[in-house]
Amino acid sequence: MSAKDIIKEHGEGVAVKVKVRPGSSRQGVRVLENGEIIIHVHSSPEKGKANQELIKLLSRRMGVSASRLQIVMGEKSRWKTILIKDIDTDEVIEHLR
């Protein structure tokens, strides 16, 4: 998967493809050498708890309110596409470092 497949400009902001690891003992964001973004959350994937934790974690990491983040693809999958509104690609890359 190339970097251009992971972070893409979108009309409303930037779409970011991430892999979520629910039920992790640690919480955090990891960017692999190939550009893949892995997000570890404590919550289990039942009743949307992991998705809620994912949005909170990413909003803190990006320095934006949670209302500016939306899961646009993969609601029930480990691979998700998150739309971050009113931000540009360079800002996203900076916050993920």
Side-chain angles (χ1 to χ4, degrees):
M1 186 175 297
S2 71
K4 70 177 185 174
D5 294 327
I6 296 169
I7 300 174
K8 292 183 179 180
E9 289 287 333
H10 184 279
E12 297 181 59
V14 175
V16 181
K17 188 168 187 173
V18 301
K19 183 172 186 179
V20 180
R21 296 268 170 96
S24 294
S25 59
R26 60 189 164 93
Q27 185 186 55
V29 177
R30 232 176 11 130
V31 180
L32 304 180
E33 286 183 25
N34 67 358
E36 287 183 11
I37 302 165
I38 311 294
I39 301 182
H40 298 269
V41 296
H42 296 301
S43 300
S44 65
E46 50 194 44
K47 297 182 183 175
K49 292 177 184 176
N51 287 344
Q52 291 172 355
E53 187 177 345
L54 164 68
I55 295 295
K56 283 183 189 176
L57 178 63
L58 269 181
S59 70
R60 284 194 309 266
R61 184 76 179 246
M62 295 293 149
V64 300
S65 70
S67 64
R68 288 178 44 192
L69 280 80
Q70 176 184 1
I71 299 172
V72 293
M73 193 181 315
E75 186 87 24
K76 295 183 179 187
S77 169
R78 289 180 192 264
W79 281 102
K80 300 181 186 303
T81 301
I82 310 295
L83 173 61
I84 308 169
K85 297 177 184 174
D86 304 321
I87 196 168
D88 65 41
T89 305
D90 292 336
E91 288 178 273
V92 171
I93 292 169
E94 185 65 33
H95 287 294
L96 289 173
R97 288 186 180 172

